């Protein structure tokens, strides 16, 4: 049944035959919304470029980018503002939508500006301390740490599993994208 | 003549018994209403504090929820008309009462939708988030209940809660084509409105006409994206609902306190009048008794 569903779903992909892109009809400005459930970083702001890490690879989005839907993986999102400055955020997972009218919605499950993160402290979290509760914290810190590691060193892509932990804490391991491998 | 004197004798006794009894009754009633007023006042203050926090958390949640729905709006995704599709309604409310018409509004909207859809011959199932909704719907629409969630409303909802609801819902295996999250949208401290946000299944989105313009989408990405969007919509509904609920509870407790103080005023007046009447009566008895001697 699962195979049939995949086959059925792959049909639309076959329908979109790849061809040269049409001339961009979207506006020259990108309306960029970047938010996590608890905080809004950009709301319909106009920025020059956004670099995002997705499951299929990292790419940069400029105004009038081809419409697409992607799922994020743990990594760094870089936002290049109109004035040239760049701000970096670490995201755990989420989704990105680029619409035809050049509006971009980047919804991250957890997102923090890089300067709020301390790589050394996240390393400490990965040491096995023992006890059930600690192990959960362990796994979420491992996730974060691997993501950070790749950010810094460019390690191979990390496939994260779907965890439903009951903790509502800051580094909860509820990486929502269910990647079945 | 006998009848007249007996009637005269009868009345004062009846009157005396009534007054004495009512003085104590009034005292008891007054004390209990004062206690209730204390309780409703403190509930109002607690609700006001929770409302302030919920409203603060609502601002980013709104941007987040609207961002999640943007794809459906911009791509104008609709389920194919005329096909007997399966619907899913997610009603978002809470476990706790004393908050006005919050729960009954959502239940009313759900019942109306069920009536509509079954009238058109479509299949409907309902997911409740909140015990109060389950209590209302179970009696008449129990056969439509797919899943029910408890322990909602004690603490402010988090993204994790929404993801747990969505996980259980997807694990139930009900293959719906489209649906809606029904919640109370917060408008202001004194007003909220029952609203709904659409949700679609993966197939509906994939087969929608405007999806062709979206580049480079494969089945896996779309499935992840859709599941994430479902969680986002539920999270948005939860946040709006809690804010509406706390503001409704604040209003309800406020009017309850006001009613209680009105009753206290009236009862105090009655109490004083009754007390004076009893004293006057005793005086008259004493005086007339002394005059008889």
């Amino acid at each position: 049944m699962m195979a049939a569903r995949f086959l059925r779903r792959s049909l639309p992909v076959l329908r979109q035959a790849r061809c040269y892109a049409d001339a961009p009809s979207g506006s020259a400005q990108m309306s960029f919304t970047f938010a996590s459930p608890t905080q809004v970083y950009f709301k319909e702001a106009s920025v020059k470029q956004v670099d995002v890490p997705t499951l299929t690879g990292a790419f940069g989005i400029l105004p009038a980018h081809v419409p697409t839907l992607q799922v994020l993986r743990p990594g760094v999102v870089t936002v290049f503002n109109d004035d040239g400055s760049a701000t970096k955020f670490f995201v755990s997972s989420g989704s990105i939508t680029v619409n035809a009218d050049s509006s971009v919605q980047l919804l991250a499950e957890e997102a923090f500006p890089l300067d709020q993160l301390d790589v050394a402290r996240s390393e400490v979290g990965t040491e096995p301390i023992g006890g059930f509760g600690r192990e959960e914290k362990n796994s979420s810190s491992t996730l974060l740490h691997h993501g950070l590691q790749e950010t810094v060193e460019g390690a191979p892509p990390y496939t994260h599993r779907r965890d439903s932990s009951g903790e509502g804490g800051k580094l909860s391991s509820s990486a929502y994208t269910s990647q079945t491998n | 003549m006998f009848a007249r004197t007996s009637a005269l004798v009868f009345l004062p006794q009846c009157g005396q018994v009534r007054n004495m009894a009512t003085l104590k009754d009034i005292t008891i009633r007054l004390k209990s209403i004062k206690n209730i007023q204390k309780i409703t006042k403190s509930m109002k203050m607690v609700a006001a504090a929770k409302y302030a926090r919920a409203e603060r958390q609502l601002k980013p949640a709104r941007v987040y929820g609207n961002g999640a729905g943007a794809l459906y709006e911009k791509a104008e995704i609709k389920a194919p008309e005329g096909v007997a599709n399966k619907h899913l309604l997610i009603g978002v409310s809470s476990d706790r009462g004393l908050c006005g018409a919050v729960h009954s509004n959502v239940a009313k909207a759900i019942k109306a939708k069920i009536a509509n859809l079954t009238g058109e011959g479509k299949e409907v199932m309902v997911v409740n988030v909140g015990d109060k909704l389950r209590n209302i719907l179970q009696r008449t629409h129990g056969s439509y209940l797919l899943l029910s969630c408890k322990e909602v409303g004690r603490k402010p909802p988090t993204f994790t809660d929404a993801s747990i609801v969505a996980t259980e819902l997807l694990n139930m295996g009900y293959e719906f084509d489209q649906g809606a999250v029904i919640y109370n949208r917060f408008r202001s401290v004194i007003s909220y409105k029952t609203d709904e946000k659409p949700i679609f299944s993966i197939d509906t989105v994939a087969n929608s006409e405007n999806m062709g313009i979206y580049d480079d989408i494969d089945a896996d990405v779309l499935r992840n994206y859709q599941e994430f969007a479902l969680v986002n919509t539920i999270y948005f509904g939860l946040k709006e609902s809690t804010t509406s609920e706390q503001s409704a509870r604040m209003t309800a407790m406020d009017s309850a306190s006001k009613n209680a103080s009105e009753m206290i005023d009236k009862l105090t007046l009655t109490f004083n009048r009754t007390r004076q009447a009893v004293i006057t009566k005793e005086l008259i008895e004493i005086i007339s008794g002394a005059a008889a001697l």
Side-chain angles (χ1 to χ4, degrees), chain A residues 32 60 75 152 157 168 177:
Chain A
F32 179 53
V152 170
T177 52

Side-chain angles (χ1 to χ4, degrees), chain B residues 47-257:
Chain B
K50 288 193 176 172
Y51 157 75
R53 180 164 56 163
E55 213 213 341
R56 238 180 316 138
Q57 290 180 344
L58 183 62
K59 283 204 202 70
R62 264 198 176 153
V63 176
Y64 193 74
N66 289 333
L71 169 68
Y72 300 136
E73 286 164 33
K74 305 242 160 119
E76 287 171 22
I77 297 187
K78 295 190 278 284
E81 301 284 329
V83 183
N85 21 42
K86 295 180 167 188
H87 283 250
L88 178 73
L89 300 176
I90 303 181
V92 180
S93 186
S94 88
D95 284 355
R96 306 180 131 203
L98 292 179
C99 47
V102 163
H103 307 297
S104 49
N105 275 348
V106 176
K108 232 187 336 180
I110 292 182
K111 285 184 186 171
K113 273 196 99 88
I114 291 180
N116 236 352
L117 291 170
T118 44
E120 291 172 8
K122 305 198 175 150
E123 201 185 311
V124 184
M125 286 301 250
V126 177
V127 170
N128 292 335
V129 178
D131 233 6
K132 285 277 172 190
L133 259 186
R134 185 177 61 93
N135 288 340
I136 299 176
L137 288 177
Q138 197 158 35
R139 254 172 279 131
T140 48
H141 294 73
S143 55
Y144 295 101
L145 290 186
L146 180 66
L147 183 66
S148 199
C149 308
K150 276 171 61 158
E151 300 293 320
V152 179
R154 216 185 303 183
K155 286 186 293 202
T158 58
F159 192 77
T160 320
D161 297 333
S163 70
I164 293 175
V165 174
T167 315
E168 289 302 317
L169 163 60
L170 290 170
N171 283 345
M172 298 290 288
Y174 177 64
E175 309 261 345
F176 65 96
D177 293 309
Q178 63 178 44
V181 176
I182 300 176
Y183 61 101
N184 288 309
R185 183 167 55 92
F186 174 73
R187 285 205 296 202
S188 81
V189 187
I190 50 172
S191 91
Y192 58 87
K193 192 166 179 295
T194 316
D195 208 1
E196 59 179 55
K197 272 230 159 194
I199 51 178
F200 299 98
S201 74
I202 308 166
D203 292 333
T204 318
V205 171
N207 296 334
S208 170
E209 9 177 294
N210 286 341
M211 280 310 283
I213 57 171
Y214 286 90
D215 186 42
D216 190 27
I217 301 177
D218 58 7
D220 245 356
V221 167
L222 194 58
R223 187 163 52 97
N224 284 336
Y225 186 88
Q226 274 296 98
E227 288 177 1
F228 192 62
L230 178 64
V231 182
N232 291 344
T233 319
I234 296 178
Y235 174 74
F236 175 70
L238 273 171
K239 280 290 185 196
E240 292 263 359
S241 266
T242 29
T243 316
S244 311
E245 183 202 331
Q246 297 299 348
S247 74
R249 186 169 290 129
M250 205 168 70
T251 326
M253 290 297 107
D254 187 37
S255 56
S257 307

Side-chain angles (χ1 to χ4, degrees), chain A residues 148-159:
Chain A
L148 280 173
Q149 228 177 12
E150 291 165 31
T151 310
V152 170
E153 301 163 17
Y158 182 78
T159 51

Side-chain angles (χ1 to χ4, degrees), chain A residues 8-9 13 16 35-38 40 66-68 70-71 94-95 97-99 101 103 105 107 109 165 167 176 178 180, chain B residues 60 63-64 67-68 70 74 159-160 163 202-203 206 213-217 219 221 223-225 227-228 231-232 235:
Chain A
R8 205 156 31 111
R9 261 189 252 114
V13 176
Q16 329 163 3
S36 75
T38 46
V40 175
V66 165
T68 181
Q70 292 293 343
V71 169
S95 70
T97 316
V98 183
N99 300 110
D101 59 357
S103 62
Q105 285 89 27
L107 304 172
E109 198 175 326
S165 77
E167 313 278 338
Y176 203 64
S178 62
T180 49
Chain B
V63 176
Y64 193 74
K74 305 242 160 119
F159 192 77
T160 320
S163 70
I202 308 166
D203 292 333
I213 57 171
Y214 286 90
D215 186 42
D216 190 27
I217 301 177
V221 167
R223 187 163 52 97
N224 284 336
Y225 186 88
E227 288 177 1
F228 192 62
V231 182
N232 291 344
Y235 174 74

